[in-house]
PDB file of all heavy atoms in Angstrom:
ATOM      1  N   ILE A 468      -2.166   8.781   9.655  1.00  0.00           N
ATOM      2  CA  ILE A 468      -2.116  10.194   9.288  1.00  0.00           C
ATOM      3  C   ILE A 468      -1.055  10.854  10.165  1.00  0.00           C
ATOM      4  O   ILE A 468      -1.259  11.059  11.365  1.00  0.00           O
ATOM      5  CB  ILE A 468      -3.481  10.871   9.483  1.00  0.00           C
ATOM      6  CG1 ILE A 468      -4.512  10.216   8.573  1.00  0.00           C
ATOM      7  CG2 ILE A 468      -3.387  12.365   9.216  1.00  0.00           C
ATOM      8  CD1 ILE A 468      -5.904  10.741   8.751  1.00  0.00           C
ATOM      9  N   ARG A 469       0.080  11.074   9.558  1.00  0.00           N
ATOM     10  CA  ARG A 469       1.241  11.616  10.272  1.00  0.00           C
ATOM     11  C   ARG A 469       1.502  10.796  11.540  1.00  0.00           C
ATOM     12  O   ARG A 469       1.558   9.582  11.472  1.00  0.00           O
ATOM     13  CB  ARG A 469       1.018  13.112  10.568  1.00  0.00           C
ATOM     14  CG  ARG A 469       0.859  13.943   9.258  1.00  0.00           C
ATOM     15  CD  ARG A 469       0.614  15.390   9.550  1.00  0.00           C
ATOM     16  NE  ARG A 469      -0.660  15.649  10.183  1.00  0.00           N
ATOM     17  CZ  ARG A 469      -1.807  15.683   9.526  1.00  0.00           C
ATOM     18  NH1 ARG A 469      -1.855  15.473   8.224  1.00  0.00           N
ATOM     19  NH2 ARG A 469      -2.937  15.934  10.169  1.00  0.00           N
ATOM     20  N   ASP A 470       1.647  11.434  12.679  1.00  0.00           N
ATOM     21  CA  ASP A 470       1.930  10.708  13.913  1.00  0.00           C
ATOM     22  C   ASP A 470       0.704  10.601  14.808  1.00  0.00           C
ATOM     23  O   ASP A 470       0.810  10.376  16.010  1.00  0.00           O
ATOM     24  CB  ASP A 470       3.074  11.392  14.678  1.00  0.00           C
ATOM     25  CG  ASP A 470       2.755  12.852  15.015  1.00  0.00           C
ATOM     26  OD1 ASP A 470       1.760  13.384  14.456  1.00  0.00           O
ATOM     27  OD2 ASP A 470       3.487  13.457  15.828  1.00  0.00           O
ATOM     28  N   LYS A 471      -0.487  10.745  14.209  1.00  0.00           N
ATOM     29  CA  LYS A 471      -1.715  10.730  15.005  1.00  0.00           C
ATOM     30  C   LYS A 471      -2.082   9.311  15.420  1.00  0.00           C
ATOM     31  O   LYS A 471      -1.914   8.358  14.659  1.00  0.00           O
ATOM     32  CB  LYS A 471      -2.868  11.366  14.220  1.00  0.00           C
ATOM     33  CG  LYS A 471      -2.644  12.854  13.959  1.00  0.00           C
ATOM     34  CD  LYS A 471      -3.858  13.533  13.389  1.00  0.00           C
ATOM     35  CE  LYS A 471      -3.605  15.031  13.248  1.00  0.00           C
ATOM     36  NZ  LYS A 471      -4.799  15.776  12.786  1.00  0.00           N
ATOM     37  N   LYS A 472      -2.588   9.197  16.638  1.00  0.00           N
ATOM     38  CA  LYS A 472      -2.929   7.889  17.196  1.00  0.00           C
ATOM     39  C   LYS A 472      -4.328   7.455  16.775  1.00  0.00           C
ATOM     40  O   LYS A 472      -5.264   8.249  16.768  1.00  0.00           O
ATOM     41  CB  LYS A 472      -2.834   7.936  18.724  1.00  0.00           C
ATOM     42  CG  LYS A 472      -3.108   6.604  19.388  1.00  0.00           C
ATOM     43  CD  LYS A 472      -3.018   6.707  20.905  1.00  0.00           C
ATOM     44  CE  LYS A 472      -3.333   5.359  21.552  1.00  0.00           C
ATOM     45  NZ  LYS A 472      -3.280   5.427  23.030  1.00  0.00           N
ATOM     46  N   PHE A 473      -4.445   6.192  16.437  1.00  0.00           N
ATOM     47  CA  PHE A 473      -5.739   5.597  16.083  1.00  0.00           C
ATOM     48  C   PHE A 473      -6.523   5.357  17.372  1.00  0.00           C
ATOM     49  O   PHE A 473      -6.155   4.535  18.197  1.00  0.00           O
ATOM     50  CB  PHE A 473      -5.484   4.282  15.340  1.00  0.00           C
ATOM     51  CG  PHE A 473      -6.729   3.579  14.870  1.00  0.00           C
ATOM     52  CD1 PHE A 473      -7.863   4.270  14.503  1.00  0.00           C
ATOM     53  CD2 PHE A 473      -6.758   2.191  14.794  1.00  0.00           C
ATOM     54  CE1 PHE A 473      -9.004   3.615  14.058  1.00  0.00           C
ATOM     55  CE2 PHE A 473      -7.878   1.520  14.355  1.00  0.00           C
ATOM     56  CZ  PHE A 473      -9.014   2.236  13.985  1.00  0.00           C
ATOM     57  N   ARG A 474      -7.618   6.086  17.556  1.00  0.00           N
ATOM     58  CA  ARG A 474      -8.361   6.041  18.817  1.00  0.00           C
ATOM     59  C   ARG A 474      -9.569   5.103  18.765  1.00  0.00           C
ATOM     60  O   ARG A 474      -9.833   4.389  19.725  1.00  0.00           O
ATOM     61  CB  ARG A 474      -8.818   7.434  19.211  1.00  0.00           C
ATOM     62  CG  ARG A 474      -7.655   8.419  19.322  1.00  0.00           C
ATOM     63  CD  ARG A 474      -7.699   9.186  20.593  1.00  0.00           C
ATOM     64  NE  ARG A 474      -6.459   9.942  20.780  1.00  0.00           N
ATOM     65  CZ  ARG A 474      -5.729   9.882  21.866  1.00  0.00           C
ATOM     66  NH1 ARG A 474      -6.076   9.070  22.842  1.00  0.00           N
ATOM     67  NH2 ARG A 474      -4.638  10.619  21.976  1.00  0.00           N
ATOM     68  N   SER A 475     -10.308   5.122  17.680  1.00  0.00           N
ATOM     69  CA  SER A 475     -11.473   4.236  17.555  1.00  0.00           C
ATOM     70  C   SER A 475     -11.987   4.291  16.129  1.00  0.00           C
ATOM     71  O   SER A 475     -11.586   5.149  15.336  1.00  0.00           O
ATOM     72  CB  SER A 475     -12.582   4.639  18.536  1.00  0.00           C
ATOM     73  OG  SER A 475     -13.013   5.967  18.293  1.00  0.00           O
ATOM     74  N   PHE A 476     -12.902   3.370  15.807  1.00  0.00           N
ATOM     75  CA  PHE A 476     -13.527   3.405  14.485  1.00  0.00           C
ATOM     76  C   PHE A 476     -14.944   2.870  14.572  1.00  0.00           C
ATOM     77  O   PHE A 476     -15.351   2.276  15.576  1.00  0.00           O
ATOM     78  CB  PHE A 476     -12.679   2.664  13.445  1.00  0.00           C
ATOM     79  CG  PHE A 476     -12.656   1.158  13.571  1.00  0.00           C
ATOM     80  CD1 PHE A 476     -13.230   0.358  12.603  1.00  0.00           C
ATOM     81  CD2 PHE A 476     -12.034   0.533  14.649  1.00  0.00           C
ATOM     82  CE1 PHE A 476     -13.193  -1.032  12.693  1.00  0.00           C
ATOM     83  CE2 PHE A 476     -11.981  -0.843  14.751  1.00  0.00           C
ATOM     84  CZ  PHE A 476     -12.559  -1.630  13.770  1.00  0.00           C
ATOM     85  N   PHE A 477     -15.703   3.107  13.512  1.00  0.00           N
ATOM     86  CA  PHE A 477     -17.117   2.717  13.462  1.00  0.00           C
ATOM     87  C   PHE A 477     -17.429   2.351  12.023  1.00  0.00           C
ATOM     88  O   PHE A 477     -16.909   2.959  11.086  1.00  0.00           O
ATOM     89  CB  PHE A 477     -17.999   3.879  13.929  1.00  0.00           C
ATOM     90  CG  PHE A 477     -19.420   3.487  14.234  1.00  0.00           C
ATOM     91  CD1 PHE A 477     -19.767   3.008  15.491  1.00  0.00           C
ATOM     92  CD2 PHE A 477     -20.411   3.586  13.276  1.00  0.00           C
ATOM     93  CE1 PHE A 477     -21.064   2.639  15.781  1.00  0.00           C
ATOM     94  CE2 PHE A 477     -21.712   3.217  13.548  1.00  0.00           C
ATOM     95  CZ  PHE A 477     -22.041   2.741  14.811  1.00  0.00           C
ATOM     96  N   VAL A 478     -18.299   1.348  11.835  1.00  0.00           N
ATOM     97  CA  VAL A 478     -18.605   0.870  10.483  1.00  0.00           C
ATOM     98  C   VAL A 478     -20.111   0.825  10.277  1.00  0.00           C
ATOM     99  O   VAL A 478     -20.850   0.331  11.135  1.00  0.00           O
ATOM    100  CB  VAL A 478     -18.010  -0.534  10.238  1.00  0.00           C
ATOM    101  CG1 VAL A 478     -18.270  -0.970   8.792  1.00  0.00           C
ATOM    102  CG2 VAL A 478     -16.513  -0.560  10.535  1.00  0.00           C
ATOM    103  N   THR A 479     -20.546   1.351   9.143  1.00  0.00           N
ATOM    104  CA  THR A 479     -21.941   1.225   8.728  1.00  0.00           C
ATOM    105  C   THR A 479     -21.978   0.359   7.472  1.00  0.00           C
ATOM    106  O   THR A 479     -20.944  -0.118   7.004  1.00  0.00           O
ATOM    107  CB  THR A 479     -22.555   2.605   8.437  1.00  0.00           C
ATOM    108  OG1 THR A 479     -21.956   3.145   7.245  1.00  0.00           O
ATOM    109  CG2 THR A 479     -22.315   3.565   9.598  1.00  0.00           C
TER     110      THR A 479
END
Side-chain angles (χ1 to χ4, degrees):
I468 298 176
R469 299 179 293 282
D470 58 348
K471 294 189 176 184
K472 183 181 179 181
F473 182 32
R474 303 229 170 232
S475 60
F476 72 113
F477 194 86
V478 183
T479 69

